[in-house]
Amino acid sequence: PLSADRLVLTAQRALERARLERENSALKEKTRELTLIGKSPQMAQLRNLIEKVAQARSRVLIEGPVGSGRELVARTIHTRSDRAARPFVTGAAASIEPEYMEQALFGIEGDEGRPRTIGLLEQAHGGTLLFSEVGDMPMETQGKILRVLIEQRFRRIGGVVPVNVDVRIISTSSEDLLDASEEGRFR
């Protein structure tokens, strides 16, 4: 038997899905349009470096002043890598309250009172996580992130089962993290 309410709901969901797919395609096209401009020897050197780094499986730190195009470089690395078809997720340490940093990165294991939330690392599984202003991350979270970088797994807050991830991390900073490390402000 066909229910009119169910038919309307199914049609609404199909239309919404089609709209989201069109919007997703449009956004992907927009991100492809972003390119590095300039023909100076320094820009050519940067393009060559991006091509080399994109094919490597290493983590990347991009340092530079605000407005210098760090996110554009990170997106270019992602789109030139073998992870290009996978998610590119961004997070900003400066916009996350320190007490919520681990929740934002690792997510929360649900229970009766709260639903499971997926953190940035899990959202970026298979792709790239761009974490801007990584120097603003609390020290205790930095230690946990180092473990995730090595092991490629973590536990959600309140969870007992490890979550395995395959994620490339690109970090940005407007400050000299080597100096911050020597001063004991960065691990």
Side-chain angles (χ1 to χ4, degrees):
L2 184 63
S3 163
D5 290 339
R6 186 174 176 106
L7 181 62
V8 168
L9 181 61
T10 302
Q12 286 174 335
R13 286 183 180 164
L15 290 171
E16 179 65 11
R17 180 181 173 118
R19 184 190 66 77
L20 289 172
E21 286 175 355
R22 283 191 309 274
E23 186 177 308
N24 190 16
S25 294
L27 288 171
K28 282 182 181 179
E29 278 302 313
K30 270 188 173 178
T31 60
R32 284 191 193 111
E33 293 171 10
L34 298 174
T35 57
L36 296 170
I37 56 173
K39 297 181 184 200
S40 69
Q42 293 85 355
M43 288 303 293
Q45 185 179 9
L46 177 60
R47 284 188 190 92
N48 289 334
L49 184 59
I50 287 171
E51 290 301 323
K52 288 178 187 173
V53 169
Q55 300 313 312
R57 305 218 26 103
S58 61
R59 293 166 283 284
V60 178
L61 172 64
I62 303 168
E63 290 183 343
V66 173
S68 62
R70 295 171 299 170
E71 184 173 341
L72 178 58
V73 169
R75 284 185 184 277
T76 305
I77 290 170
H78 174 74
T79 58
R80 301 271 193 259
S81 75
D82 59 353
R83 296 174 181 265
R86 302 289 178 90
F88 181 83
V89 177
T90 62
S95 67
I96 301 170
E97 294 294 325
E99 59 269 15
Y100 297 113
M101 184 70 65
E102 290 181 29
Q103 291 177 16
L105 289 170
F106 306 127
I108 301 171
E109 190 65 52
D111 57 18
E112 310 84 44
R114 10 175 231 201
R116 173 187 289 174
T117 59
I118 303 300
L120 294 171
L121 286 164
E122 205 168 348
Q123 290 174 33
H125 177 64
T128 304
L129 171 60
L130 169 62
F131 204 68
S132 62
E133 295 304 336
V134 70
D136 292 341
M137 185 182 293
M139 288 292 281
E140 50 279 356
T141 306
Q142 290 176 26
K144 292 177 181 178
I145 287 292
L146 286 173
R147 180 168 289 130
V148 171
L149 291 175
I150 294 165
E151 298 176 1
Q152 291 284 299
R153 71 175 169 199
F154 60 90
R155 286 188 175 90
R156 291 184 198 103
I157 305 299
V160 293
V161 177
V163 177
N164 294 314
V165 290
D166 172 22
V167 62
R168 180 181 202 175
I169 302 213
I170 299 178
S171 303
T172 68
S173 179
S174 58
E175 67 176 299
D176 185 341
L177 293 181
L178 186 57
D179 286 347
S181 175
E182 290 172 358
E183 295 170 5
R185 295 182 292 115
F186 188 75
R187 289 188 70 177

